[in-house]
DNA sequence: GTACTGATCGGCT
DNA sequence: GCCGATCAGTACG
């Protein structure tokens, strides 16, 4: 098992508050290629982010913050860099709060390429199929053991979480409408790494076969 | 590979 | 009760 804090995702790579204090569209794009990991006891669980969606503070009825703060979405209005975890269809999804306090915008993490604690994540998901571990927002939360107890945690400071700079993927990001929403279903606010095999959704939205893996690119260049 | 269906359950009204 | 930023299973090309 790889040691998360040796070379893959050192503490010095951790994203700081100012990274998140920008509009959610920019943050969603730039989170692609970053490492996202949760520590459970001695084991780190997580991987490289390959698919995200932005939810805007203004003119976005699909955003959970659109009707202002309430008991279930309060952390969407917390400090930028906080986790917003909510339940949906008997599963959980995890977001990162953007901009700042009282704004109500966030980025949904839709898919990661599994890297750390893969065997534990396979156990948590009840499958050995690599493409069924973290290729969807509900899958990520069950694989990485995220539930409402993580809601509101500040990932720029928590010792149980790290979100850090990883791979450069700016040149191969594709934008499409967001998945599974009824309102504002036309806005192109979903972003993913072109050709990555762990992205959810339709293969034909990629410009090439969905086979690439960020970790392999890393091995080739090192 | 794509399209469609229905189970599931926390948090709301 | 009702709803949903989902997913697994099924059917089909």
């Amino acid at each position: 098992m790889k040691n998360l804090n040796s070379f893959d995702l050192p503490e010095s790579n951790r994203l700081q508050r100012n990274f998140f204090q920008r509009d959610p569209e920019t943050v969603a794009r730039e989170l692609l290629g970053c490492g996202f990991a949760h520590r459970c006891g001695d084991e780190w669980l997580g991987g490289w982010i390959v698919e995200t969606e932005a939810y805007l503070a203004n003119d976005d009825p699909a955003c959970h913050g659109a009707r202002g703060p309430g008991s279930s979405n309060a952390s969407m209005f917390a400090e930028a860099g906080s986790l917003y975890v909510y339940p949906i269809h008997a599963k959980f999804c995890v977001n990162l709060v953007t901009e700042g306090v009282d704004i109500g915008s966030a980025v949904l993490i839709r898919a990661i390429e599994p890297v750390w604690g893969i065997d534990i994540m396979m156990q948590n998901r009840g499958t050995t199929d690599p493409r069924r571990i973290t290729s969807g927002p509900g899958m990520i939360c069950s694989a990485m053991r995220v539930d409402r107890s993580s809601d509101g945690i500040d990932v720029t400071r928590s010792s149980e979480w790290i979100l850090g700079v990883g791979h450069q993927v700016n040149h191969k990001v594709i934008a499409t409408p967001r998945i599974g929403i009824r309102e504002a279903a036309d806005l192109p606010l979903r972003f993913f790494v072109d050709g990555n095999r762990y992205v959810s959704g339709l293969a034909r939205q990629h410009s090439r076969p969905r086979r690439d893996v960020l970790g392999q690119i890393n091995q080739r260049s090192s």
Side-chain angles (χ1 to χ4, degrees):
Chain A
M1 196 55 52
K2 289 180 178 179
N3 179 353
L4 177 70
N5 283 318
S6 58
F7 59 94
D8 285 288
L9 203 55
E11 180 63 32
S12 58
N13 281 22
R14 185 187 286 267
L15 297 173
Q16 302 299 310
R17 178 92 57 222
N18 59 3
F19 178 93
F20 301 100
Q21 289 173 323
R22 299 178 293 167
D23 65 280
E25 195 170 345
T26 302
V27 175
R29 283 181 172 275
E30 296 195 10
L31 277 174
L32 297 177
C34 290
F36 182 48
H38 180 205
R39 183 168 62 78
C40 291
D42 294 336
E43 286 283 350
W44 285 93
L45 310 176
W48 308 119
I49 297 172
V50 295
E51 181 182 357
T52 58
E53 284 178 359
Y55 286 84
L56 314 180
N58 301 117
D59 302 315
D60 184 5
C63 179
H64 286 183
R67 292 181 200 174
S71 55
S72 62
N73 66 350
S75 57
M76 262 205 92
F77 296 85
E79 198 85 69
S82 301
L83 294 178
Y84 165 51
V85 182
Y86 70 92
I88 178 99
H89 290 284
K91 315 256 180 348
F92 291 97
C93 295
V94 62
N95 296 249
L96 288 150
V97 176
T98 54
E99 297 181 279
V101 173
D102 291 340
I103 303 292
S105 65
V107 173
L108 170 69
I109 310 299
R110 279 200 60 89
I112 68 174
E113 175 179 314
V115 181
W116 305 288
I118 291 177
D119 15 325
I120 294 176
M121 292 198 290
M122 288 193 303
Q123 277 185 349
N124 292 342
R125 290 276 305 120
T127 180
T128 55
D129 179 352
R131 288 222 28 221
R132 296 222 155 169
I133 305 176
T134 54
S135 295
M139 297 187 203
I140 288 176
C141 288
S142 62
M144 290 175 63
R145 293 216 193 109
V146 185
D147 58 27
R148 270 236 130 194
S149 65
S150 297
D151 185 54
I153 289 178
D154 179 357
V155 294
T156 67
R157 297 176 186 230
S158 173
S159 60
E160 298 195 337
W161 290 85
I162 188 165
L163 195 36
V165 174
H167 298 271
Q168 199 70 36
V169 296
N170 291 347
H171 54 295
K172 45 182 184 179
V173 172
I174 289 182
T176 72
R178 296 171 293 185
I179 292 179
I181 55 172
R182 305 175 47 118
E183 314 223 54
D186 52 329
L187 301 177
L189 293 175
R190 168 179 174 246
F191 306 96
F192 61 85
V193 178
D194 186 25
N196 187 277
R197 69 180 300 213
Y198 297 103
V199 173
S200 73
L202 301 176
R204 62 163 177 256
Q205 294 183 318
H206 296 246
S207 78
R208 58 182 130 160
R210 209 173 32 172
R211 289 185 199 126
D212 293 358
V213 172
L214 294 176
Q216 280 182 359
I217 294 168
N218 193 36
Q219 282 168 18
R220 258 182 252 134
S221 60
S222 62

